[in-house]
Amino acid sequence: MRIAIIGFGAAAVGFLKEVDSNKHEVIVYEMNKDIFSSSISGIRADGKLFVSSEMGGDLEEILFDKQLQKEIVDYYSELSETEPEIGTRENLEELQKKFFINGFKLVESEFFHIGTDKLKIFLKNAHEEFVRKGVHFKFNSLVKDIEINEKVIVEYIDREIREEIKEEFDRVYIAVGRSGFKLIDTLTKKYPDIILSNTKVDLGVRFELPDIVVKELNEALYEFKVKFKSSNGQLVRTFCNNPSGYVVTEKYSDFITVNGHAIHDQKSTNTNFAILVTHSFTKPFNDPNGYGSYIAKLSNILAGGNKVILQTYGDFKKGKRTKKLWKVFPTLSSEEYVLGDLNLVFPSKTSVSLIEFIDNLNKIIPGVADEENLLYGVEVKFYGKKLDNNLFENLKFIGDCSGQTRSIVHATAHGIIEARKLIEN
Ligand SMILES: Cc1cc2nc3c(=O)[nH]c(=O)nc-3n(C[C@H](O)[C@H](O)[C@H](O)COP(=O)(O)OP(=O)(O)OC[C@H]3O[C@@H](n4cnc5c(N)ncnc54)[C@H](O)[C@@H]3O)c2cc1C
């Protein structure tokens, strides 16, 4: 069978690791110029892996298969030639209780941190392994459209020669992650029946504070994931905690957001994590990604162009523009942010939810609500439309673009599962 994989991220890794390339001709199209380039893919930044039945995606066959999740962690650790950083899990019950009585739910999970630096080794080793297996890679190839007939036609732009090319396959696996939302939009407009649901977007800030404030929690858990319900009913959660890490920007084609990562062999003295508020919509509105993109663009416009906004927590609460920093210093380069007021960006219910979350967290971790801690905005997590993989025999969606996964482990597992289905047939 002639098979195309669109995108070389976590889902593609899972698929390629498993597929028998003696039986099939497999070609991977990746829009970036090589395996390392992409600011919007977690297998190129940070690399926090987790084993949990409470997070990472919605597919039960992955959520409840901890054995498969552990195998994936081992695969990433082995190919990145590293021993992942982990938490001691000391006093776990005590911590769970403290969170519970203050209105939070601590999500149960084991965490393994690979690090941005070690992911480069992983990518190099994985790519070499796949090439040895006979997989063909086409870099600089941006897939614009897919046509489904008896065969599947992949239409892509070869960015080197700037030419549009069409190729024919028996089956295509779309694995474009979140950054491939344009291709997904094109396909869902053309084949609207593949959308199962499309209701949510997460919006919030990247929060940064000195390591010393959260040292105990970092040592016990490495990553702490908690959920909280604000007084207006919105769900607020932490995401992607980076002890001794760095805040970074994430560049989409027409806006910039914030994110964070940590490096295995280079440490800062600050911890950062995202605080995200889930925004759920009902009919007639059906474009949560559009909503998130507009809010992100608004923050860039207020920051004078291609920048994000930075504000102290004290000023955010008072609704004042931040003019000076003196106690906590940002790890993001000063060329990438402007001191401003995030209240001009967020709807008031989002600001209320963020403030309630931080003030309540301060009861468990004194110092979190210090007026000088930093908020960067905005951070957005696009859920992606949930897509139906049973509609077409010859077109499948794997990983985050399917709307069914939200993490490296789950996206990789999704690729593995779809490759196994192919092998069984
Ligand atoms: C900065 C950052 C840090 C993260 N950190 C973590 C973490 O620590 N732990 C964790 O579990 N999750 C993390 N995530 C989320 C994680 O990266 C994703 O859940 C996971 O990578 C999804 O895998 P995927 O294969 O679906 O997509 P991706 O890994 O995003 O791969 C998609 C690939 O498709 C390519 N592509 C997109 N569109 C096209 C197109 N039209 N044509 C050709 N190629 C295309 C992209 O360039 C990319 O290489 C992070 C995400 C980001 C952005």
Side-chain angles (χ1 to χ4, degrees), residues 47-93:
K48 221 174 282 112
L49 308 175
F50 41 83
V51 175
S52 168
S53 51
E54 290 189 33
M55 57 187 266
D58 304 324
L59 291 167
E60 291 191 356
E61 56 204 306
I62 301 172
L63 271 173
F64 300 117
D65 191 345
K66 285 199 177 173
Q67 185 56 35
L68 175 62
Q69 296 180 29
K70 281 197 179 115
E71 280 169 24
I72 291 169
V73 172
D74 290 344
Y75 178 70
Y76 277 88
S77 311
E78 197 186 311
L79 265 66
S80 62
E81 298 169 18
T82 191
E83 197 59 50
E85 294 170 290
I86 51 171
T88 62
R89 289 167 76 79
E90 257 174 46
N91 301 327
L92 192 58
E93 249 182 51

Side-chain angles (χ1 to χ4, degrees), residues 32 51 54 152 166 206 274 338 373:
N32 285 296
V51 175
E54 290 189 33
V152 192
K166 290 185 183 182
R206 185 58 52 170
V338 162
N373 289 336

Side-chain angles (χ1 to χ4, degrees), residues 203-210 247 258-259 270-277 299 308-322 325 328-332 336-343 345-346 350-359 367-379:
L203 275 174
V205 293
R206 185 58 52 170
F207 193 69
E208 187 168 50
L209 72 178
V247 175
V258 282
N259 212 311
N270 283 354
T271 290
N272 70 72
F273 53 87
I275 306 174
L276 298 172
V277 184
S299 72
V308 294
I309 292 177
L310 173 57
Q311 188 172 26
T312 63
Y313 182 52
D315 287 341
F316 180 61
K317 266 181 99 167
K318 288 176 205 142
K320 268 172 55 184
R321 179 177 182 181
T322 292
L325 305 172
V328 185
F329 294 100
T331 52
L332 182 69
E336 296 198 78
Y337 67 78
V338 162
L339 295 177
D341 183 5
L342 286 163
N343 291 291
V345 179
F346 290 125
T350 311
S351 298
V352 165
S353 294
L354 288 169
I355 290 168
E356 283 180 13
F357 183 92
I358 294 167
D359 285 350
V368 158
D370 189 283
E371 293 213 330
E372 296 304 321
N373 289 336
L374 306 175
L375 272 67
Y376 300 78
V378 300
E379 181 141 347

Side-chain angles (χ1 to χ4, degrees), residues 1-69:
M1 206 186 258
R2 194 159 194 262
I3 294 174
I5 315 284
I6 317 300
F8 182 58
V13 163
F15 187 90
L16 296 172
K17 165 184 176 306
E18 216 63 17
V19 76
D20 183 350
S21 44
N22 288 325
K23 277 199 182 155
H24 306 289
E25 186 192 357
V26 183
I27 299 172
V28 179
Y29 294 88
E30 167 56 51
M31 66 178 179
N32 285 296
K33 65 178 191 310
D34 55 38
I35 47 172
F36 307 113
S37 320
S38 172
S39 83
I40 316 177
S41 170
I43 63 161
R44 285 147 184 125
D46 197 34
K48 221 174 282 112
L49 308 175
F50 41 83
V51 175
S52 168
S53 51
E54 290 189 33
M55 57 187 266
D58 304 324
L59 291 167
E60 291 191 356
E61 56 204 306
I62 301 172
L63 271 173
F64 300 117
D65 191 345
K66 285 199 177 173
Q67 185 56 35
L68 175 62
Q69 296 180 29

Side-chain angles (χ1 to χ4, degrees), residues 5-14 28-35 37-50 55-56 76 111-116 119 138-145 155-157 159 174-184 206 223 225 239-242 248-250 252 257-262 379-381 398-402 405-412 414:
I5 315 284
I6 317 300
F8 182 58
V13 163
V28 179
Y29 294 88
E30 167 56 51
M31 66 178 179
N32 285 296
K33 65 178 191 310
D34 55 38
I35 47 172
S37 320
S38 172
S39 83
I40 316 177
S41 170
I43 63 161
R44 285 147 184 125
D46 197 34
K48 221 174 282 112
L49 308 175
F50 41 83
M55 57 187 266
Y76 277 88
F111 291 95
F112 305 84
H113 178 243
I114 303 280
T116 305
L119 281 174
K138 290 195 178 188
F139 290 103
N140 260 328
S141 300
L142 173 77
V143 175
K144 300 278 285 181
D145 203 355
E155 296 180 26
Y156 71 99
I157 297 178
R159 286 171 154 179
I174 312 265
V176 292
R178 293 181 220 156
S179 58
F181 67 91
K182 279 206 173 137
L183 177 61
I184 299 298
R206 185 58 52 170
E223 162 106 20
K225 275 197 192 280
F239 176 79
C240 184
N241 184 55
N242 293 299
V248 289
T249 54
E250 204 171 284
Y252 289 80
T257 61
V258 282
N259 212 311
H261 73 142
E379 181 141 347
V380 189
K381 292 289 166 273
I398 53 174
D400 286 17
C401 70
S402 71
T405 74
R406 288 182 292 282
S407 65
I408 295 172
V409 169
H410 278 243
T412 309
H414 201 192

Side-chain angles (χ1 to χ4, degrees), residues 88-231:
T88 62
R89 289 167 76 79
E90 257 174 46
N91 301 327
L92 192 58
E93 249 182 51
E94 192 53 36
L95 273 171
Q96 275 167 332
K97 187 173 153 193
K98 263 195 199 171
F99 278 111
F100 184 84
I101 57 183
N102 286 292
F104 293 89
K105 159 124 180 61
L106 182 66
V107 176
E108 218 292 297
S109 178
E110 285 175 72
F111 291 95
F112 305 84
H113 178 243
I114 303 280
T116 305
D117 43 351
K118 306 289 178 190
L119 281 174
K120 287 201 172 67
I121 302 172
F122 167 80
L123 284 164
K124 182 177 158 290
N125 286 337
H127 177 246
E128 278 174 10
E129 178 190 311
F130 301 147
V131 170
R132 261 198 309 275
K133 270 178 85 172
V135 174
H136 304 282
F137 282 83
K138 290 195 178 188
F139 290 103
N140 260 328
S141 300
L142 173 77
V143 175
K144 300 278 285 181
D145 203 355
I146 303 279
E147 199 60 52
I148 310 168
N149 300 315
E150 221 162 272
K151 298 269 179 183
V152 192
I153 317 289
V154 171
E155 296 180 26
Y156 71 99
I157 297 178
D158 183 322
R159 286 171 154 179
E160 247 166 64
I161 53 172
R162 294 189 187 170
E163 223 172 78
E164 227 172 285
I165 304 173
K166 290 185 183 182
E167 283 185 36
E168 208 177 71
F169 291 89
D170 300 302
R171 189 174 283 204
V172 172
Y173 290 86
I174 312 265
V176 292
R178 293 181 220 156
S179 58
F181 67 91
K182 279 206 173 137
L183 177 61
I184 299 298
D185 281 349
T186 306
L187 294 178
T188 50
K189 269 186 199 132
K190 200 150 76 172
Y191 308 111
D193 289 350
I194 55 176
I195 304 176
L196 291 174
S197 67
N198 178 31
T199 56
K200 288 193 280 189
V201 64
D202 282 358
L203 275 174
V205 293
R206 185 58 52 170
F207 193 69
E208 187 168 50
L209 72 178
D211 277 342
I212 41 168
V213 180
V214 271
K215 189 165 181 259
E216 202 186 318
L217 208 57
N218 285 346
E219 280 176 0
L221 299 176
Y222 190 87
E223 162 106 20
F224 79 105
K225 275 197 192 280
V226 293
K227 293 179 182 168
F228 175 85
K229 210 179 223 181
S230 68
S231 59

